[in-house]
Amino acid sequence: MSFPSHENPGTDDPLDRPDDIVITGLGVVTPIGGDVETFWAANLEGRSGIVLEERMDTRGLPCGWTAGLNPDDVKDTVRAGHGALDRSWGDSLMHACVEQALTDADFAGRPPADGPAALVYARVWPGPTGSFPQDYVTHMADLADRYDAVGNDPVGILERLRGRRLSLETQDLSAFPREIAERLGTAVLPVRLEATCSGGLRAIAEAARLLRSGRAEYAVVSAAVSRNTPYALSQYGQLMALSRWQGEPGQASMPFDKRRTGMVINESAGALVLETAAHAARRGMTRPHAVIGGWRLAVDTAHMTAPRVEMIERVMRTALAEAGAQPEDVDSVNAHDTSTRLNDVTEARALHQVFGERMAEIDTCAVKSLTGHGSAASGVVETAVAALTLCRGVVPPVVTCTEPDPACGVKTSLTPVRRPVAAVLKNSFGFGGQYASMLFRRPATPRPAPEQAPSHEPQPA
């Protein structure tokens, strides 16, 4: 399969095939914006959402004094539109993002599209808000008490549960897919993933697989995390993974900078609508945000928390091969960019293995420099940036990388880079030895920026 040229991307029309998987809807709630356009503007302006963590006492921890927190006005909007007494905060975040994505895909207020639908979502057990020890203890103690009382007798279990109010975390296990099916007006094929920091990208891959296999014609993908709790901070603190930066909080996450001291965790959520190009065309959606090329997923057995150069290289090369692309076709890398000493240099070395001398000209995007690390949500949120980069021909800056690490040797910029972008390679890696890489292509007729949105993009000289 031919690939669009860099000089005039999209003109060869190889991306208009009916069986292409296209992204037609985007939705985000992040520390730098509660909607896509605000979020995108913050990326281009280099506006950080990382602030002092003042909600809890972190003096006993070796790190964790900063966090990427959603602004109060964003939280108020989410609660007003999607909060409910029987819905956890994490599910409220996902509902807010899904509604944005459906509206962006022109599903809002329209009859359900024809064909089967899928829902693929990623979260951290026992729910997107879990991480307090009592979330686990209460749930497990309840299961133990029930088993002691009635064993596995289904009638006894039903009688024991009758009239009891389940915890929010337990309700979330089934409520979210049901609510999305009700929102779409059709039954959905639900798939829930547990894949830590690679979960978002793996969810996109699973949705694309369902579309390619014909089991669904459109899919909703979502992921959320809100784990800024003493328990979560202590877990990451034990790994010595969190930033120990003592200067300006907005500088605490500095991917590929030689001064980096660790990652910053955040609360965030994202959602996408995926369709076959044929399905999108049937309902009049002819300007998608991006086309999904190839991908590669892997689980390594070597180390629980330390990624390996050869495994990152393998998933990137296979993603390119499955997309019918060569390393020279890639214009930008949307990196995993955790800002840890080990992860950044490991990812950079793998990039050099794949792209060689071209690393000097490939623009690298590092979204976590402004948002912090959203675990499973990061893959979805950062895919939104990759899609907008393709459509609008702008690579966001990495404003915290003011002293680039020669050991990494990746190309970042302190200002937005305007250029034609035909393909973006996105990486996500996770604890447990999980790896994911995916190639996104510019559509033949990409989605333009909304006319009512103010332009924050650099203008050509």
Side-chain angles (χ1 to χ4, degrees), residues 335-421:
H336 185 52
D337 65 276
T338 61
S339 190
T340 60
R341 301 297 302 178
L342 175 64
N343 196 296
D344 283 8
V345 74
T346 303
E347 182 176 14
R349 287 172 180 169
L351 288 168
H352 282 278
Q353 291 280 77
V354 173
F355 296 105
E357 294 181 356
R358 285 204 65 238
M359 282 304 297
E361 61 188 67
I362 294 177
D363 292 292
T364 301
C365 177
V367 181
K368 294 181 184 73
S369 61
L370 302 177
T371 64
H373 194 345
S375 188
S378 292
V380 179
V381 169
E382 292 162 13
T383 290
V385 173
L388 293 169
T389 294
L390 290 164
C391 286
R392 303 186 187 182
V394 185
V395 181
V398 186
V399 296
T400 62
C401 187
T402 58
E403 299 182 29
D405 187 352
C408 295
V410 300
K411 182 188 177 188
T412 61
S413 173
L414 297 177
T415 57
V417 178
R418 175 173 287 276
R419 59 171 298 180
V421 180

Side-chain angles (χ1 to χ4, degrees), residues 256 296-300 305-320 333-338 342-355 425-430 433-438:
F256 307 115
R296 176 65 171 178
L297 312 175
V299 177
D300 193 11
T305 60
R308 291 198 295 155
V309 172
E310 55 267 37
M311 288 300 297
I312 298 175
E313 178 186 359
R314 181 184 301 179
V315 295
M316 289 192 293
R317 288 192 184 278
T318 307
L320 291 172
V333 169
N334 190 297
H336 185 52
D337 65 276
T338 61
L342 175 64
N343 196 296
D344 283 8
V345 74
T346 303
E347 182 176 14
R349 287 172 180 169
L351 288 168
H352 282 278
Q353 291 280 77
V354 173
F355 296 105
L425 186 67
K426 171 78 196 108
N427 289 330
S428 288
F429 316 120
Q434 301 188 54
Y435 301 79
S437 189
M438 181 174 286

Side-chain angles (χ1 to χ4, degrees), residues 24 28 51 113 176 185 213 216 338 346 380 439 455:
T24 57
V28 299
V51 297
F176 184 67
S213 68
T338 61
T346 303
V380 179
L439 186 76
S455 176

